[in-house]
Amino acid sequence: MCGLCGILRLTASAPPVEAEVLAGMIARIGHRGPDEQRLRIEPEIGLGHARLSIIDLATGSQPIHNEDRRIWVVFNGEVFNYPELRRALQAQGHRFYTDTDTEVLVHLYEEYGDDFVEHLNGQFAIALWDGRHRRLVLVRDRVGIAPLYYAERDGRLLFASEVKALLPALGEAPRMDPAGLDQLLTFWAPVAPRTLFAGISELPPGEMLIAEGGRCRRRRYWQWQYPEHPDGYLRDTPESLAESLHDLLADAVRVRLRADVPVGAYLSGGLDSAVITALIHRRADVPLRTFSLRFTDPGLDESAFQRAMVEHLRAAHTAVPVTDELVANGLPAAVWHAEMPMLRAAPVPMAALSAAVRGAGYRVVLTGEGADEVLGGYDLFKEAKIRAFWARQPDSRLRPRLLRRLYPYLDMTRGQGQVYLERFFGMGLDDPSGAFFSHLPRWTTTARTKQFLSPAYAGAAVDGALAGLAEALPAGMRRWQGLERAQYLEARTLMAGYLLSAQGDRMLMANGVEGRFPYLDHRVIEFANRLEPRLKLRVLREKHLLREAMAGYLPAALTHRHKQPYRAPDAAAFFRGTTPAFVDELLAPGKLADYGYFDPSRVSRLLAKARRGGITGFADNMAFMAVLSTQLWHRQFVEDYHRQFVRLRPEGLRQAVTIEAEA
Amino acid sequence: MTHRQQLRDYILENYLFTSDASALDDDASFLERGIIDSTGIMEVIDFLEERFGVQVRDEEMIPENLDSVNRICRFLERKRAAA
């Protein structure tokens, strides 16, 4: 991937584009593109690009232009089908001056206007300036792999790959958006376009923003869709559908191996990444290089399954050990890169993993991310299925017992824990066709973190998270089946907002590594969304069709393995060894009162509980991580604003930034 | 300090994170009010066994015995009467 930024003057009276500000912006995201940083400044617009060279290392500098140099583009991401697009465009008479995937964008736009995006198979954030019609088009990929943020200020539209590149141009410290925090403390992340930063928006996945004539408007070009009628489903035999899924995935992997640098892969020990590595392995032209995390806590570790796969594939493999110290000391940098508080420490080890990739000389990895959302893998989907089955006979004593099969660790050795499970998972049983039915238990547990908000902040963050999401739901959702509604909510909230961002792009790009996700190829998604739910979740067997499709290519131990969620040590990691100084400093009552988000006396009690090792459950862990990471967020982006984003601005100019300007 | 008082202090400190006694109604359901979840109830049982020297048997682990301050107090009384 790369980083981009820019400033567009929306009105004639808006201040001019200053090279120094633009250089300060791109310097803040230099980690995304360590190979080269360039700016282009015209009277109306300035574009900045930080490049991570992956395709056409020699001549791929951005911005890139069309034949008459009136259409310019800066681009973060990849267009995997660029060779095919390029051939078609050349046949239509377009001339190319580079071998990049980026250059197809300007010519596609010339041919198809704003619909050019529909031809792209890839992951992308694009800023395209059409100088002939004085219009700027910002585009984000369908599912939210590549980030893109924007803000309007003083008659100018500011945009960038990360918020930290917008901050130098704002001129004042940002403020927390209470509604953004409210959503984060419910869904794990704000729902785009909302962010944690008041006045700064995230372009939602599948949308474009068009700025022309002094105005900005958003347009949706892609949406997660499921059949609204039975005849919308694929009708082939299960065997033939499994074969189609296999072929689609193999092709999704094939195009994602396109790069002028070597490509590695993450291996978690689960089914999804095993499938990806097996598909790479079958291609004799690509040597397989794999990377994984290894935990000292046996409850979190999947090393045995990783080794089984590595031996099966005879891959060169690196396992990165994760210690409490790594998690505790790595949190500030993780919050800095993610730009949001986190309810789990899980992103921190992902930064150590990408550092190992970079250290081994790799800058691209394929991962199994997205398989659970696209093909029906999460326990939450099974949980919702059982709850819906139970809701048809709410008095049944036997139906809720199925929940025990799902959460064996909750099947308490002490007998009657079942009753407690029933109370918990019984919520919403009166409305099993409600849009949020599948997610109510999880969101309710997560929202318990809000009890630590200060009275002032809890009042400001009125409980509107669900209402805000309800407004944004697709009209046809009521006609989808239960599993499909759950898949949509998962993709829209947790995957786009957290997994692909705080735990994905940001932890990869912190070390200049690009992730590629074959399961999120839109051809795979659009195929999977037309599969009958029973082909994804067969009774309680998750990702049924994927297992059928790949059975012959994997060790049996992996094909039959029950999914283990990826987790890292949370609150305990900060107290089992030496507690980092920032914990006591940021959780001190004075600091909590000063920042204003949380109730100091409640947090003191939570901290005391954590210190004596008393935090064991999900809710307390999430609360501890939320409070600590929110305090870190405030310190780095608000309290230290001047030092981080204003005073050190010339540092960007001291780097080798190339500036081209046209009057 | 009475059992009730000790129990209330424990719940306030560890699950409501406050010393404000009015935050806990003795009839409030721990589950319905989201005060204690299904894993938290194990900690409460540990506390009862350790602090009050009672033994909670498997078949006694039901909301009727454990889901509010009042229910736990009545449960403790029954246990003591039976002993």
Side-chain angles (χ1 to χ4, degrees):
Chain A
M1 304 271 250
C2 300
L4 63 82
C5 69
I7 301 174
L8 172 73
R9 295 172 67 222
L10 291 166
T11 61
S13 59
V17 177
E18 313 95 326
E20 188 187 316
V21 173
L22 204 57
M25 290 170 73
I26 202 67
R28 290 287 159 265
I29 49 175
H31 53 275
R32 299 185 69 90
D35 297 326
E36 184 183 25
Q37 290 162 24
R38 295 176 75 93
L39 309 177
R40 175 179 172 80
I41 297 174
E42 294 183 24
E44 245 173 296
I45 190 166
L47 297 171
H49 189 256
R51 184 174 185 219
L52 178 64
S53 307
I54 289 174
I55 290 173
D56 188 1
L57 311 188
T59 65
S61 298
Q62 298 188 33
I64 282 211
H65 58 80
N66 70 333
E67 291 94 338
D68 68 3
R69 300 175 64 91
R70 295 179 71 184
I71 298 177
W72 289 84
V73 72
V74 283
F75 166 59
N76 160 33
E78 301 293 339
V79 175
F80 297 118
N81 59 336
Y82 78 95
E84 293 82 11
L85 292 171
R86 180 189 171 98
R87 276 195 294 277
L89 288 161
Q90 280 172 327
Q92 287 165 299
H94 291 275
R95 295 190 317 277
F96 284 72
Y97 74 100
T98 72
D99 292 321
T100 60
D101 55 340
T102 312
E103 197 178 353
V104 303
L105 301 174
V106 289
H107 300 299
L108 269 180
Y109 175 80
E110 286 181 298
E111 283 295 325
Y112 304 106
D114 294 346
D115 293 336
F116 79 100
V117 61
E118 286 165 25
H119 298 258
L120 306 177
N121 179 354
Q123 50 196 51
F124 42 81
I126 300 166
L128 183 145
W129 170 245
D130 175 353
R132 290 180 293 198
H133 300 98
R134 327 304 298 166
R135 69 201 297 268
L136 172 74
V137 185
L138 302 179
V139 192
R140 198 158 172 227
D141 63 68
R142 296 171 179 85
V143 297
I145 297 167
L148 190 53
Y149 296 86
Y150 62 94
E152 273 186 61
R153 195 62 63 98
D154 303 325
R156 306 195 300 184
L157 177 70
L158 313 166
F159 53 93
S161 296
E162 297 185 17
V163 172
K164 57 179 74 66
L166 296 178
L167 295 177
L170 291 185
E172 58 179 356
R175 283 178 302 106
M176 168 85 82
D177 177 349
L181 183 61
D182 187 57
Q183 289 185 335
L184 186 137
L185 296 178
T186 308
F187 310 129
W188 292 41
V191 182
R194 199 175 281 286
T195 71
L196 261 291
F197 297 84
I200 295 180
S201 300
E202 176 183 347
L203 187 60
E207 291 197 14
M208 58 176 66
L209 182 144
I210 297 145
E212 60 187 330
R215 290 224 178 86
C216 299
R217 63 188 163 90
R218 284 184 9 232
R219 192 194 118 191
R220 172 164 290 284
Y221 70 88
W222 191 88
Q223 175 69 287
W224 291 82
Q225 287 287 357
Y226 298 88
E228 294 180 24
H229 305 285
D231 55 9
Y233 290 103
L234 297 168
R235 287 296 171 207
D236 295 325
T237 63
E239 294 72 26
S240 138
L241 289 171
E243 202 182 316
S244 301
L245 177 60
H246 168 275
D247 294 349
L248 266 174
L249 277 174
D251 199 61
V253 167
R254 180 182 69 87
V255 298
R256 277 164 185 75
L257 291 170
R258 288 175 168 167
D260 296 336
V261 296
V263 176
Y266 281 175
L267 196 56
S268 71
L271 175 70
D272 310 334
S273 59
V275 166
I276 300 304
T277 50
L279 289 169
I280 300 173
H281 181 63
R282 292 214 323 252
R283 303 183 58 83
D285 52 326
V286 186
L288 186 57
R289 183 75 172 80
T290 53
F291 302 86
S292 69
L293 294 172
R294 194 177 69 221
F295 292 91
T296 44
D297 179 344
L300 308 176
D301 192 53
E302 302 183 69
S303 294
F305 293 98
Q306 292 163 4
R307 275 198 302 276
M309 197 63 203
V310 168
E311 281 163 22
H312 179 75
L313 301 171
R314 295 188 189 84
H317 183 70
T318 300
V320 179
V322 180
T323 60
D324 286 344
E325 290 72 32
L326 183 147
V327 170
N329 296 322
L331 186 65
V335 173
W336 169 254
H337 282 288
E339 302 179 328
M340 62 179 180
M342 39 193 70
L343 301 179
R344 287 238 173 124
V348 185
M350 298 307 286
L353 188 56
S354 67
V357 171
R358 190 79 194 184
Y362 283 71
R363 52 179 76 175
V364 181
V365 286
L366 269 58
T367 91
E369 201 68 76
D372 289 317
E373 292 81 357
V374 173
L375 292 163
Y378 284 120
D379 278 350
L380 183 139
F381 298 151
K382 296 190 225 172
E383 172 193 307
K385 187 171 182 173
I386 295 170
R387 288 170 55 240
F389 173 65
W390 175 18
R392 291 204 293 274
Q393 297 266 345
D395 297 330
S396 165
R397 300 294 301 157
L398 292 175
R399 294 186 179 210
R401 287 190 171 255
L402 285 166
L403 288 165
R404 287 193 189 208
R405 296 209 7 215
L406 214 46
Y407 300 111
Y409 58 94
L410 295 180
D411 183 13
M412 299 141 190
T413 49
R414 308 271 329 245
Q416 301 290 325
Q418 175 70 22
V419 184
Y420 286 90
L421 278 186
E422 287 176 27
R423 285 288 176 92
F424 178 67
F425 290 114
M427 61 182 76
L429 279 198
D430 51 332
D431 184 18
S433 60
F436 298 146
F437 173 77
S438 56
H439 282 64
L440 283 179
R442 184 208 281 167
W443 289 345
T444 306
T445 306
T446 307
R448 285 185 62 204
T449 53
K450 293 184 204 170
Q451 69 171 310
F452 293 94
L453 288 173
S454 65
Y457 224 79
V462 289
D463 194 1
L466 267 57
L469 182 58
E471 284 169 24
L473 298 178
M477 189 176 179
R478 279 259 163 196
R479 288 186 290 278
W480 301 346
Q481 301 199 45
L483 175 66
E484 297 162 341
R485 286 195 292 268
Q487 284 182 276
Y488 173 85
L489 292 176
E490 197 61 17
R492 181 79 197 266
T493 58
L494 195 84
M495 186 184 85
Y498 169 78
L499 289 175
L500 291 177
S501 178
Q503 201 171 298
D505 173 84
R506 303 314 184 82
M507 297 305 118
L508 288 155
M509 292 310 307
N511 294 300
V513 175
E514 172 178 292
R516 296 180 174 184
F517 315 100
Y519 292 104
L520 295 175
D521 187 307
H522 71 283
R523 297 171 303 168
V524 176
I525 298 174
E526 289 170 0
F527 172 83
N529 287 6
R530 295 184 62 205
L531 292 172
E532 294 221 45
R534 65 184 170 78
L535 289 172
K536 291 181 264 196
L537 193 53
R538 186 173 184 89
V539 193
L540 291 181
R541 187 191 197 218
E542 78 274 12
K543 288 178 289 203
H544 171 71
L545 199 68
L546 178 63
R547 287 168 202 273
E548 296 296 304
M550 294 303 299
Y553 305 100
L554 301 173
L558 278 165
T559 325
H560 299 298
R561 199 179 164 214
H562 178 80
K563 180 179 174 57
Q564 172 169 341
Y566 161 65
R567 282 177 50 206
D570 291 314
F574 295 83
F575 301 99
R576 283 190 288 235
T578 311
T579 300
F582 70 83
V583 175
D584 291 314
E585 200 183 323
L586 290 173
L587 299 185
K591 209 64 169 170
L592 289 158
D594 183 23
Y595 291 0
Y597 306 119
F598 299 105
D599 179 329
S601 96
R602 278 177 195 251
V603 173
S604 298
R605 290 178 162 85
L606 180 68
L607 179 61
K609 189 172 179 180
R611 239 188 253 291
R612 60 175 186 267
I615 289 191
T616 51
F618 292 124
D620 287 351
N621 259 313
M622 283 194 287
F624 178 82
M625 291 304 304
V627 173
L628 183 57
S629 58
T630 303
Q631 294 290 98
L632 281 165
W633 179 91
H634 184 93
R635 155 162 295 179
Q636 300 185 93
F637 294 102
V638 182
E639 189 174 59
D640 285 353
Y641 174 76
H642 199 72
R643 193 171 61 76
Q644 295 276 21
F645 298 100
V646 183
R647 220 167 61 204
L648 288 182
R649 186 192 295 168
E651 176 209 39
L653 289 172
R654 283 200 296 275
Q655 297 179 7
V657 179
T658 309
I659 304 176
E660 47 181 279
E662 268 174 41
Chain B
M1 211 183 335
T2 63
H3 285 180
R4 177 179 298 272
Q5 197 53 48
Q6 290 180 54
L7 176 65
R8 283 183 51 84
D9 286 353
Y10 171 78
I11 302 285
L12 284 166
E13 184 75 20
N14 283 280
Y15 299 98
L16 291 164
F17 304 98
T18 179
S19 57
D20 174 9
S22 71
L24 178 61
D25 177 342
D26 285 0
D27 271 324
S29 158
F30 295 155
L31 286 163
E32 276 161 30
R33 295 279 311 281
I35 297 169
I36 299 175
D37 62 16
S38 56
T39 49
I41 204 67
M42 296 293 129
E43 298 169 5
V44 174
I45 290 165
D46 274 350
F47 169 81
L48 297 178
E49 295 188 337
E50 219 170 86
R51 183 69 65 91
F52 305 131
V54 295
Q55 287 291 317
V56 182
R57 293 198 308 275
D58 286 356
E59 62 272 22
E60 292 170 331
M61 277 183 50
I62 49 176
E64 286 66 32
N65 290 337
L66 300 169
D67 194 39
S68 70
V69 170
N70 280 339
R71 284 177 177 197
I72 292 179
C73 287
R74 283 196 295 271
F75 173 61
L76 289 174
E77 279 162 30
R78 285 199 300 278
K79 293 288 278 187
R80 208 171 317 129

